[in-house]
Amino acid sequence: MRKTAILAAALATLAATQVSAAEMPGKGVTVTPVQSSIAEETFQTLLVSRALEKLGYTVNTTSEVDYNVGYTTIAAGDATFVAANWQPLHDDMYKAAGGDKKLYRQGTYVEGAAQGYLIDKKTAEKYKITNIEQLKDPKIAKLFDTNGDGKADLTGCTPGWGCETVINHQMPAYGLTKTVEANMGNYSAMIADVMARFKQGKPVIYYTWTPYWLSDVLVPGKDVVWLQVPFSSLPGEQKDVDTKLPNGANYGFPVNTMHIVANKAWVEKNPAAGKLFAEMKLPIADINAQNARMHAGEASEADINRHVDGWIKGHQAQFDKWVSDAAAAAK
């Protein structure tokens, strides 16, 4: 009788182990995430990593790389995924890395990512500025001159992000090269200067995007206003994209979606991860809220991990469904 009980217990343990193994399709597989130097992308990257860990994958610390390097590294199989692929902003980089032949991109992780040019509301109202084309007028452009050369100093973005290519294309397209200097460099440092000028009551003009903390601090409609552009004009793979909105407004950039992009060959061997990447969705408002907390001082690694844990706890049923659906895809 005792032997039968021991055997039954052993079989039960074996069955439990088999169920556990079936639910852990990533066991023994290591994942290497990459992201850009934008610290605010950490939240959405770590959320994907957490779900992968629930599936049994061993997830390495995220490596910071330029976007173009990230895509080529993933295509070559030296990294696994990036959780901040902007479409269509990154289309040229995506294509250059091998596109759909080398990379896996299914589903939409984040919707409604906007970009464009803004100026302070006070200057916009005083001089009735609504369109960036108005900066062709040297008198209007000079309002935004920060170094005394008579040109407007437009704060652009960090080279390699993709936005600099669009801005550098649009300045000549809109006839602004004689009156506007588009400055590229360390975005955080440049925006700190914009904030300082704004606090001093000076005119500011800058490029930004959402989700990002800046629009929670310099609030569109309250502190600043979006500028329209005279017509749609984008470079490379985006050249045929019409940026005009249904209401007729045109801010020069299409509303982007964000995707998780992974190595295609790796996903074919790891269907659970592929299912997870395709199914995960993160509201843009949640990213904005987390990014604002980072800007308010909660920006350490421990803080961001706490934010991720808090988000999962608040959306536990949804998170568990992603993981169970992914596990089922491996069977």
Side-chain angles (χ1 to χ4, degrees), residues 271-314:
K275 175 68 173 171
L276 180 76
F277 297 155
E279 200 167 305
M280 286 187 78
K281 286 193 187 313
L282 183 58
I284 200 164
D286 293 5
I287 301 177
N288 271 328
Q290 189 276 336
N291 286 183
R293 288 172 73 180
M294 287 177 69
H295 179 66
E298 296 179 35
S300 71
E301 192 178 335
D303 287 331
I304 300 168
N305 274 295
R306 193 179 71 253
H307 299 159
V308 174
D309 291 338
W311 191 94
I312 292 169
K313 194 173 179 183

Short mmCIF file of all heavy atoms in Angstrom, two decimals, residues 271-314:
data_model
loop_
_atom_site.label_atom_id
_atom_site.label_comp_id
_atom_site.label_asym_id
_atom_site.label_seq_id
_atom_site.Cartn_x
_atom_site.Cartn_y
_atom_site.Cartn_z
N PRO A 271 7.71 30.34 -30.54
CA PRO A 271 6.37 30.85 -30.86
C PRO A 271 5.67 31.49 -29.67
O PRO A 271 4.82 32.37 -29.85
CB PRO A 271 5.62 29.62 -31.37
CG PRO A 271 6.39 28.44 -30.85
CD PRO A 271 7.82 28.88 -30.79
N ALA A 272 6.02 31.06 -28.46
CA ALA A 272 5.40 31.67 -27.27
C ALA A 272 5.75 33.15 -27.20
O ALA A 272 4.88 34.00 -26.98
CB ALA A 272 5.86 30.95 -26.00
N ALA A 273 7.03 33.45 -27.40
CA ALA A 273 7.47 34.84 -27.37
C ALA A 273 6.84 35.63 -28.51
O ALA A 273 6.42 36.77 -28.33
CB ALA A 273 8.99 34.91 -27.46
N GLY A 274 6.73 35.00 -29.69
CA GLY A 274 6.11 35.65 -30.84
C GLY A 274 4.67 36.04 -30.56
O GLY A 274 4.23 37.14 -30.88
N LYS A 275 3.95 35.13 -29.92
CA LYS A 275 2.55 35.39 -29.55
C LYS A 275 2.47 36.53 -28.54
O LYS A 275 1.62 37.42 -28.64
CB LYS A 275 1.93 34.11 -28.95
CG LYS A 275 0.51 34.27 -28.42
CD LYS A 275 -0.50 34.53 -29.54
CE LYS A 275 -1.92 34.52 -29.00
NZ LYS A 275 -2.89 34.97 -30.03
N LEU A 276 3.39 36.51 -27.58
CA LEU A 276 3.43 37.57 -26.55
C LEU A 276 3.67 38.93 -27.21
O LEU A 276 2.96 39.90 -26.93
CB LEU A 276 4.54 37.27 -25.55
CG LEU A 276 4.68 38.29 -24.43
CD1 LEU A 276 3.59 38.11 -23.39
CD2 LEU A 276 6.06 38.19 -23.76
N PHE A 277 4.68 39.00 -28.09
CA PHE A 277 5.02 40.27 -28.75
C PHE A 277 3.84 40.81 -29.56
O PHE A 277 3.62 42.01 -29.63
CB PHE A 277 6.22 40.08 -29.69
CG PHE A 277 7.51 39.69 -29.00
CD1 PHE A 277 8.50 39.01 -29.71
CD2 PHE A 277 7.74 39.99 -27.67
CE1 PHE A 277 9.69 38.66 -29.10
CE2 PHE A 277 8.93 39.63 -27.04
CZ PHE A 277 9.92 38.96 -27.76
N ALA A 278 3.08 39.91 -30.18
CA ALA A 278 1.96 40.32 -31.02
C ALA A 278 0.76 40.79 -30.19
O ALA A 278 -0.03 41.61 -30.64
CB ALA A 278 1.53 39.16 -31.92
N GLU A 279 0.64 40.27 -28.97
CA GLU A 279 -0.57 40.50 -28.18
C GLU A 279 -0.46 41.66 -27.19
O GLU A 279 -1.47 42.29 -26.84
CB GLU A 279 -0.94 39.21 -27.42
CG GLU A 279 -2.38 39.19 -26.97
CD GLU A 279 -2.85 37.82 -26.51
OE1 GLU A 279 -2.71 36.86 -27.29
OE2 GLU A 279 -3.33 37.71 -25.38
N MET A 280 0.74 41.96 -26.72
CA MET A 280 0.90 42.99 -25.69
C MET A 280 0.45 44.36 -26.18
O MET A 280 0.75 44.75 -27.31
CB MET A 280 2.35 43.05 -25.21
CG MET A 280 2.75 41.90 -24.32
SD MET A 280 4.41 42.09 -23.60
CE MET A 280 4.08 43.26 -22.28
N LYS A 281 -0.26 45.09 -25.32
CA LYS A 281 -0.71 46.46 -25.63
C LYS A 281 -0.55 47.31 -24.38
O LYS A 281 -0.89 46.88 -23.29
CB LYS A 281 -2.17 46.47 -26.07
CG LYS A 281 -2.40 45.93 -27.47
CD LYS A 281 -3.80 46.26 -27.96
CE LYS A 281 -4.14 45.60 -29.29
NZ LYS A 281 -3.11 45.72 -30.30
N LEU A 282 -0.03 48.52 -24.58
CA LEU A 282 0.20 49.42 -23.45
C LEU A 282 -0.40 50.78 -23.78
O LEU A 282 -0.03 51.39 -24.78
CB LEU A 282 1.72 49.54 -23.21
CG LEU A 282 2.21 50.38 -22.04
CD1 LEU A 282 1.65 49.87 -20.72
CD2 LEU A 282 3.75 50.36 -22.00
N PRO A 283 -1.35 51.27 -22.97
CA PRO A 283 -1.96 52.58 -23.25
C PRO A 283 -0.93 53.70 -23.19
O PRO A 283 -0.12 53.75 -22.26
CB PRO A 283 -3.01 52.73 -22.15
CG PRO A 283 -3.26 51.34 -21.65
CD PRO A 283 -1.95 50.62 -21.80
N ILE A 284 -0.97 54.61 -24.14
CA ILE A 284 -0.01 55.71 -24.20
C ILE A 284 -0.12 56.60 -22.96
O ILE A 284 0.88 57.13 -22.48
CB ILE A 284 -0.17 56.51 -25.51
CG1 ILE A 284 1.10 57.31 -25.80
CG2 ILE A 284 -1.40 57.42 -25.47
CD1 ILE A 284 1.20 57.81 -27.23
N ALA A 285 -1.33 56.71 -22.40
CA ALA A 285 -1.53 57.52 -21.19
C ALA A 285 -0.74 56.96 -20.01
O ALA A 285 -0.24 57.71 -19.16
CB ALA A 285 -3.01 57.60 -20.84
N ASP A 286 -0.61 55.62 -19.96
CA ASP A 286 0.14 54.99 -18.88
C ASP A 286 1.63 55.27 -19.01
O ASP A 286 2.33 55.44 -18.00
CB ASP A 286 -0.12 53.47 -18.87
CG ASP A 286 -1.57 53.13 -18.51
OD1 ASP A 286 -2.37 54.07 -18.36
OD2 ASP A 286 -1.88 51.93 -18.38
N ILE A 287 2.12 55.32 -20.24
CA ILE A 287 3.54 55.66 -20.46
C ILE A 287 3.78 57.12 -20.07
O ILE A 287 4.76 57.44 -19.40
CB ILE A 287 3.96 55.41 -21.93
CG1 ILE A 287 3.74 53.95 -22.32
CG2 ILE A 287 5.42 55.79 -22.13
CD1 ILE A 287 4.06 53.64 -23.78
N ASN A 288 2.89 58.00 -20.49
CA ASN A 288 3.01 59.42 -20.14
C ASN A 288 3.06 59.61 -18.62
O ASN A 288 3.88 60.36 -18.11
CB ASN A 288 1.84 60.23 -20.71
CG ASN A 288 2.12 60.74 -22.11
OD1 ASN A 288 3.24 61.04 -22.47
ND2 ASN A 288 1.07 60.82 -22.92
N ALA A 289 2.17 58.91 -17.92
CA ALA A 289 2.09 59.04 -16.46
C ALA A 289 3.38 58.53 -15.80
O ALA A 289 3.92 59.18 -14.89
CB ALA A 289 0.89 58.26 -15.93
N GLN A 290 3.90 57.40 -16.29
CA GLN A 290 5.14 56.86 -15.73
C GLN A 290 6.31 57.78 -16.05
O GLN A 290 7.17 58.03 -15.18
CB GLN A 290 5.38 55.45 -16.28
CG GLN A 290 6.53 54.70 -15.61
CD GLN A 290 7.91 55.03 -16.19
OE1 GLN A 290 8.02 55.46 -17.34
NE2 GLN A 290 8.95 54.81 -15.41
N ASN A 291 6.36 58.30 -17.27
CA ASN A 291 7.45 59.21 -17.66
C ASN A 291 7.43 60.48 -16.81
O ASN A 291 8.48 61.02 -16.45
CB ASN A 291 7.32 59.58 -19.13
CG ASN A 291 7.72 58.47 -20.10
OD1 ASN A 291 7.71 58.66 -21.31
ND2 ASN A 291 8.04 57.29 -19.58
N ALA A 292 6.23 60.96 -16.48
CA ALA A 292 6.10 62.15 -15.63
C ALA A 292 6.65 61.88 -14.23
O ALA A 292 7.28 62.75 -13.62
CB ALA A 292 4.64 62.59 -15.56
N ARG A 293 6.43 60.67 -13.73
CA ARG A 293 6.98 60.29 -12.41
C ARG A 293 8.51 60.26 -12.45
O ARG A 293 9.17 60.67 -11.49
CB ARG A 293 6.43 58.91 -11.98
CG ARG A 293 4.96 58.95 -11.59
CD ARG A 293 4.39 57.56 -11.36
NE ARG A 293 4.88 56.98 -10.11
CZ ARG A 293 4.53 55.77 -9.67
NH1 ARG A 293 3.68 55.03 -10.39
NH2 ARG A 293 5.00 55.29 -8.54
N MET A 294 9.05 59.80 -13.57
CA MET A 294 10.51 59.81 -13.73
C MET A 294 11.04 61.24 -13.69
O MET A 294 12.02 61.54 -13.01
CB MET A 294 10.92 59.13 -15.04
CG MET A 294 10.77 57.63 -15.03
SD MET A 294 11.17 56.89 -16.65
CE MET A 294 12.95 57.17 -16.74
N HIS A 295 10.37 62.14 -14.42
CA HIS A 295 10.80 63.54 -14.47
C HIS A 295 10.70 64.20 -13.09
O HIS A 295 11.50 65.07 -12.75
CB HIS A 295 9.98 64.33 -15.48
CG HIS A 295 10.37 65.77 -15.56
ND1 HIS A 295 11.60 66.17 -16.03
CD2 HIS A 295 9.71 66.91 -15.20
CE1 HIS A 295 11.67 67.49 -15.97
NE2 HIS A 295 10.54 67.96 -15.47
N ALA A 296 9.74 63.73 -12.28
CA ALA A 296 9.54 64.29 -10.94
C ALA A 296 10.55 63.75 -9.93
O ALA A 296 10.52 64.13 -8.76
CB ALA A 296 8.12 64.01 -10.47
N GLY A 297 11.44 62.86 -10.38
CA GLY A 297 12.51 62.38 -9.48
C GLY A 297 12.55 60.88 -9.26
O GLY A 297 13.51 60.36 -8.71
N GLU A 298 11.50 60.17 -9.72
CA GLU A 298 11.48 58.71 -9.54
C GLU A 298 12.09 58.05 -10.77
O GLU A 298 11.40 57.40 -11.56
CB GLU A 298 10.04 58.22 -9.33
CG GLU A 298 9.38 58.74 -8.08
CD GLU A 298 7.94 58.25 -7.93
OE1 GLU A 298 7.66 57.10 -8.34
OE2 GLU A 298 7.10 59.01 -7.45
N ALA A 299 13.40 58.24 -10.94
CA ALA A 299 14.03 57.80 -12.19
C ALA A 299 15.13 56.76 -12.00
O ALA A 299 15.80 56.38 -12.96
CB ALA A 299 14.61 59.01 -12.93
N SER A 300 15.29 56.26 -10.78
CA SER A 300 16.32 55.24 -10.55
C SER A 300 15.84 53.89 -11.09
O SER A 300 14.66 53.71 -11.39
CB SER A 300 16.62 55.10 -9.06
OG SER A 300 15.53 54.48 -8.40
N GLU A 301 16.77 52.96 -11.21
CA GLU A 301 16.43 51.61 -11.68
C GLU A 301 15.37 50.99 -10.78
O GLU A 301 14.41 50.38 -11.24
CB GLU A 301 17.70 50.75 -11.71
CG GLU A 301 17.53 49.43 -12.44
CD GLU A 301 18.82 48.62 -12.49
OE1 GLU A 301 19.91 49.22 -12.40
OE2 GLU A 301 18.73 47.38 -12.60
N ALA A 302 15.55 51.19 -9.46
CA ALA A 302 14.59 50.64 -8.49
C ALA A 302 13.22 51.28 -8.67
O ALA A 302 12.18 50.60 -8.58
CB ALA A 302 15.10 50.86 -7.07
N ASP A 303 13.20 52.60 -8.92
CA ASP A 303 11.93 53.30 -9.13
C ASP A 303 11.18 52.74 -10.33
O ASP A 303 9.99 52.45 -10.25
CB ASP A 303 12.18 54.81 -9.37
CG ASP A 303 12.58 55.55 -8.11
OD1 ASP A 303 12.16 55.13 -7.01
OD2 ASP A 303 13.32 56.54 -8.22
N ILE A 304 11.91 52.59 -11.45
CA ILE A 304 11.27 52.12 -12.69
C ILE A 304 10.77 50.69 -12.53
O ILE A 304 9.67 50.35 -12.97
CB ILE A 304 12.21 52.26 -13.90
CG1 ILE A 304 12.61 53.74 -14.09
CG2 ILE A 304 11.54 51.75 -15.18
CD1 ILE A 304 13.74 53.98 -15.07
N ASN A 305 11.56 49.86 -11.84
CA ASN A 305 11.11 48.48 -11.58
C ASN A 305 9.85 48.48 -10.73
O ASN A 305 8.95 47.67 -10.95
CB ASN A 305 12.23 47.69 -10.88
CG ASN A 305 13.20 47.08 -11.86
OD1 ASN A 305 12.84 46.21 -12.65
ND2 ASN A 305 14.44 47.53 -11.85
N ARG A 306 9.78 49.41 -9.79
CA ARG A 306 8.59 49.53 -8.94
C ARG A 306 7.38 49.95 -9.78
O ARG A 306 6.26 49.46 -9.58
CB ARG A 306 8.85 50.52 -7.80
CG ARG A 306 7.79 50.48 -6.70
CD ARG A 306 8.08 51.44 -5.56
NE ARG A 306 7.89 52.84 -5.96
CZ ARG A 306 8.89 53.70 -6.17
NH1 ARG A 306 10.15 53.31 -6.04
NH2 ARG A 306 8.63 54.95 -6.52
N HIS A 307 7.61 50.88 -10.72
CA HIS A 307 6.52 51.32 -11.60
C HIS A 307 5.99 50.14 -12.43
O HIS A 307 4.78 50.00 -12.62
CB HIS A 307 7.01 52.42 -12.55
CG HIS A 307 7.49 53.66 -11.84
ND1 HIS A 307 8.32 54.57 -12.45
CD2 HIS A 307 7.26 54.12 -10.59
CE1 HIS A 307 8.58 55.55 -11.59
NE2 HIS A 307 7.96 55.30 -10.46
N VAL A 308 6.92 49.32 -12.94
CA VAL A 308 6.53 48.15 -13.75
C VAL A 308 5.71 47.17 -12.90
O VAL A 308 4.65 46.71 -13.32
CB VAL A 308 7.77 47.45 -14.35
CG1 VAL A 308 7.37 46.16 -15.06
CG2 VAL A 308 8.50 48.38 -15.32
N ASP A 309 6.21 46.90 -11.70
CA ASP A 309 5.50 45.98 -10.80
C ASP A 309 4.11 46.51 -10.47
O ASP A 309 3.13 45.75 -10.42
CB ASP A 309 6.29 45.78 -9.50
CG ASP A 309 7.59 45.00 -9.73
OD1 ASP A 309 7.68 44.29 -10.75
OD2 ASP A 309 8.52 45.13 -8.90
N GLY A 310 4.03 47.82 -10.26
CA GLY A 310 2.74 48.45 -9.94
C GLY A 310 1.76 48.36 -11.10
O GLY A 310 0.57 48.10 -10.90
N TRP A 311 2.30 48.56 -12.32
CA TRP A 311 1.43 48.47 -13.50
C TRP A 311 0.89 47.04 -13.64
O TRP A 311 -0.31 46.85 -13.90
CB TRP A 311 2.19 48.86 -14.77
CG TRP A 311 1.27 49.04 -15.95
CD1 TRP A 311 0.70 50.20 -16.38
CD2 TRP A 311 0.77 48.01 -16.82
NE1 TRP A 311 -0.12 49.97 -17.45
CE2 TRP A 311 -0.10 48.63 -17.75
CE3 TRP A 311 0.96 46.63 -16.90
CZ2 TRP A 311 -0.78 47.92 -18.74
CZ3 TRP A 311 0.28 45.92 -17.89
CH2 TRP A 311 -0.57 46.56 -18.80
N ILE A 312 1.77 46.05 -13.48
CA ILE A 312 1.35 44.65 -13.61
C ILE A 312 0.27 44.32 -12.57
O ILE A 312 -0.75 43.72 -12.89
CB ILE A 312 2.56 43.69 -13.48
CG1 ILE A 312 3.50 43.87 -14.69
CG2 ILE A 312 2.09 42.23 -13.38
CD1 ILE A 312 4.84 43.17 -14.54
N LYS A 313 0.50 44.76 -11.33
CA LYS A 313 -0.46 44.50 -10.25
C LYS A 313 -1.82 45.12 -10.57
O LYS A 313 -2.87 44.53 -10.32
CB LYS A 313 0.08 45.06 -8.93
CG LYS A 313 -0.65 44.55 -7.71
CD LYS A 313 0.02 45.01 -6.43
CE LYS A 313 -0.74 44.50 -5.21
NZ LYS A 313 -0.15 44.99 -3.95
N GLY A 314 -1.81 46.32 -11.17
CA GLY A 314 -3.04 47.01 -11.51
C GLY A 314 -3.74 46.44 -12.74
O GLY A 314 -4.90 46.75 -13.01
#
